[in-house]
Amino acid sequence: MAGEKLRIFYIACGLSSLLYLGFAPLDVVALSSNLTSAWMVRAAVMLATGAAALFAHLRRDAFLHHYPVVICLVYLGWGAGVEALLMLSQPTDLAWSSYYAGLMLVLMALYTWSYLRPLHAGLAGLAVVASYVVAGLCYQRMGERGHWVPLVQNVCFLAGTNVVGAFALTTRERFARQAFLLKDALLRDLRLKEEAKRRSEHLAGHDALTGLPNRVSFLRRLGELMATRAQDDTVGVLFLDLDGFKPVNDQHGHAAGDHVLAVVAQRIRNAIRAEDVAARIGGDEFVVALPLAGQADAAIVERTRAALRKSIAEPIDYNGCSLRVTASIGMALRCRDGGSAEELLHLADQSMYESKRGGKRQTAACLA
C-alpha cells in the first residue's frame, strides 16, 4: 500500500503539472488582462508540485506518516492556483466565468487519485468550495455586480462534484476492503492447505508416536544412502528390538508403553550422529542407518550399538514408577556394491534374532 500511495501521488503531480502547463496557452485568450501574473501563478503551482514530489521521494517515511495532511495541502494548493487565476481575471475575460471548472478537476482528482479517508477528502473538498465562494464574493465581487446566478450555479456544480467524488471514494474503499478480505481469506486457505499437505506428508513418512521416520521412509532413505556412497564407503544398519517391553504394557498399561517408546526414540536420537538416520518400523522395533567413510569406519557401528544398549537400559520414570527395558541389537554392513535396502535391513533383522538367541556379542553381518 505504501508503494501504491507513492506511485499514485507521483502520477497525480505529473498530471497536475501537465494540465497547468497545457492550459497556459488559453490564458492568451481567456486571461489577456493579466497574462504575466497568470503565468507566474502557473509556474508557482508547478514548482510547489515538484517540491512536494521531491519531498515524498526524499522523505518517504515522513510523507507516509503525514499522508492525509500532505495530500490535503497539495490538493488545496492546486485549488488555490485555480482560484488565483479567477481572482486575476476581469468580468470581460473568459476566465472569469469558465476557469472555475478547473476546481472540478481538482476535486475529482482529490477523491479518485488519493488514498484519503472519506472524511478527510470531504473536508478538503468543502474547503475548496468555500474558498471559491470567498473568492467570488470578495475578489470577483460577483454579488455586487449582480452575478448571483453564475455564482450559485458554479457552487452547485462544485458541490455536486463533491457528492459524486465522495460516493466514488466510498465505493472504491468498500471494494478495496472486500478485495483485501478476499485476498487475505484466499492466502489463509492456501496456508492451511499447505500446512495440511505438509502434515499429511510428514505423517505418511513418520511414526505418529515418536516422530521418527516409518519403515517406508527409512527404506527410501537407506536406498539413497546406498546409492550415493563412494566406491570405498559403506553403510551400516542397526536393528533394535526392545526386551521387557511386553511386561511394561501388561503391568502398567498402554500409556506407559507409549511413554517408554517415546523415551527410547529420544535416547536413540541422542546416541547417534547427525548424519545417521533412525526410524521406528514396528511396535517395539527401531532401526538406525549409519553412513560410513570406508571399511575402517565399521567400528563406528559397534560403538553406536554399545552406546544405544547402555542408554536404553537406563531406568525410565513414569508416574513415580521406574520402568526398565533393554535392547537386542543386530548389525549389518554393505561390504560391496550391490544388494538392496530391503536385503540389508533383512540381514540386520536376522542378526538381531541371533543376538537374542546367542547373547549380546556378535559381529556384524555382511551384505556382499
Side-chain angles (χ1 to χ4, degrees):
M1 178 59 75
E4 184 66 11
K5 284 182 176 180
L6 282 167
R7 188 182 72 85
I8 292 296
F9 180 66
Y10 293 149
I11 293 175
C13 288
L15 288 175
S16 172
S17 299
L18 286 175
L19 289 172
Y20 266 96
L21 180 64
F23 280 100
L26 294 179
D27 296 339
V28 177
V29 177
L31 196 51
S32 57
S33 64
N34 218 337
L35 185 60
T36 302
S37 297
W39 284 358
M40 290 178 63
V41 168
R42 292 183 183 275
V45 172
M46 292 174 64
L47 286 173
T49 300
L54 184 62
F55 168 76
H57 178 69
L58 297 178
R59 301 291 303 278
R60 171 179 174 145
D61 292 340
F63 169 78
L64 294 173
H65 182 71
H66 301 288
Y67 180 79
V69 175
V70 175
I71 293 298
C72 287
L73 289 176
V74 169
Y75 275 91
L76 288 174
W78 294 342
V82 175
E83 290 165 358
L85 295 175
L86 290 171
M87 288 185 286
L88 291 172
S89 64
Q90 299 297 320
T92 56
D93 293 327
L94 291 175
W96 193 82
S97 59
S98 60
Y99 270 23
Y100 86 96
L103 294 175
M104 298 173 66
L105 293 177
V106 172
L107 290 173
M108 290 308 299
L110 173 69
Y111 286 105
T112 60
W113 283 85
S114 74
Y115 282 93
L116 291 175
R117 295 185 180 276
L119 176 61
H120 297 151
L123 291 175
L126 290 175
V128 170
V129 177
S131 60
Y132 172 74
V133 173
V134 172
L137 293 176
C138 299
Y139 293 93
Q140 292 184 296
R141 301 186 181 280
M142 297 179 73
E144 296 178 10
R145 294 185 173 119
H147 293 100
W148 289 103
V149 173
L151 177 62
V152 173
Q153 173 183 284
N154 292 347
V155 169
C156 288
F157 280 127
L158 292 174
T161 303
N162 270 312
V163 172
V164 173
F167 273 107
L169 178 58
T170 303
T171 302
R172 186 189 70 181
E173 192 175 65
R174 185 176 73 252
F175 285 159
R177 187 181 301 111
Q178 291 174 348
F180 172 80
L181 292 175
L182 178 61
K183 180 180 179 180
D184 184 66
L186 289 174
L187 289 175
R188 186 168 59 254
D189 288 345
L190 286 175
R191 285 195 298 269
L192 291 175
K193 288 181 180 178
E194 286 295 325
E195 290 174 3
K197 181 180 178 182
R198 286 194 295 270
R199 285 197 300 270
S200 177
E201 291 175 348
H202 179 82
L203 291 175
H206 291 75
D207 172 55
L209 175 63
T210 63
L212 293 175
N214 59 19
R215 183 185 183 91
V216 173
S217 180
F218 176 79
L219 285 173
R220 181 174 65 251
R221 182 68 180 128
L222 178 58
E224 292 171 356
L225 289 175
M226 294 173 67
T228 56
R229 303 307 292 167
Q231 183 176 1
D232 295 331
D233 294 341
T234 186
V235 178
V237 172
L238 296 175
F239 196 112
L240 295 80
D241 183 81
L242 299 185
D243 300 321
F245 178 72
K246 188 176 184 301
V248 170
N249 263 337
D250 294 341
Q251 296 175 23
H252 301 279
H254 290 290
D258 289 345
H259 178 71
V260 168
L261 292 174
V263 171
V264 168
Q266 187 58 50
R267 289 179 178 179
I268 292 174
R269 289 191 189 95
N270 295 338
I272 63 178
R273 304 169 300 174
E275 62 267 31
D276 298 336
V277 181
R280 180 190 177 201
I281 62 171
D284 59 349
E285 294 179 335
F286 298 85
V287 288
V288 178
L290 302 94
L292 305 172
Q295 299 295 335
D297 270 1
I300 292 177
V301 180
E302 177 58 41
R303 289 199 299 269
T304 304
R305 184 177 74 154
L308 286 170
R309 181 178 292 149
K310 179 180 179 181
S311 177
I312 293 171
E314 293 291 328
I316 299 173
D317 180 69
Y318 177 74
N319 292 339
C321 298
S322 181
L323 307 179
R324 289 180 179 272
V325 292
T326 58
S328 294
I329 305 177
M331 302 185 298
L333 292 174
R334 188 189 69 161
C335 299
R336 297 185 181 86
D337 290 340
S340 66
E342 289 86 352
E343 290 172 333
L344 186 58
L345 181 62
H346 179 67
L347 196 61
D349 187 12
Q350 288 181 326
S351 175
M352 182 273 296
Y353 278 109
E354 291 176 5
S355 174
K356 277 184 178 294
R357 291 193 299 267
K360 303 301 181 182
R361 294 184 58 85
Q362 91 275 3
T363 58
C366 186
L367 178 64

